[in-house]
Amino acid sequence: MTDLADLADAAAHKDDFTQATQDLARLLQTLADGRHEGRESMSLARLAKRCALPMSTLLRYLSVLTETGWVSLEDGERGLQLVRLTAAGAAQLDSLGTA
């Protein structure tokens, strides 16, 4: 028999998943918006600010997005790491219907 705590845990997990999905879509959209503004890549600090995400969360998401090939990380000037939306990431964003 499922108790109230199990239901609460399941609901919290679903809420976390929903939030992560929204955050990832917003991150991809922010990078796409930057491309439309003439920015092929964006610094981690700028991306975190524009997405309203803590840096630790942004780095965790970028780890996943880099593994999937949807974004790439590159070294920029003055030691900054830059994030770039790849063609695969743009296609994924288009498939989400948010672009």
Side-chain angles (χ1 to χ4, degrees):
M1 181 170 161
T2 303
D3 63 9
L4 189 55
D6 290 338
L7 290 174
D9 285 344
H13 180 69
K14 181 179 179 185
D15 289 344
D16 288 345
F17 180 76
T18 300
Q19 183 63 52
T21 302
Q22 292 170 352
D23 289 346
L24 288 166
R26 186 171 67 244
L27 198 159
L28 291 173
Q29 185 62 56
T30 300
L31 288 169
D33 291 346
R35 285 174 82 178
H36 290 112
E37 296 166 3
R39 287 190 170 97
E40 285 300 313
S41 58
M42 200 174 294
S43 72
L44 293 174
R46 181 183 298 267
L47 185 57
K49 184 174 182 176
R50 290 183 83 176
C51 290
L53 291 172
M55 186 63 74
S56 59
T57 303
L58 176 65
L59 291 172
R60 190 170 56 249
Y61 288 158
L62 288 176
S63 174
V64 172
L65 293 173
T66 301
E67 286 179 26
T68 62
W70 296 352
V71 301
S72 65
L73 294 173
E74 49 197 49
D75 294 326
E77 295 179 16
R78 298 171 290 168
L80 292 176
Q81 255 198 322
L82 302 174
V83 183
R84 178 186 301 264
L85 183 66
T86 64
Q92 181 62 31
L93 183 61
D94 289 343
S95 76
L96 294 173
T98 59

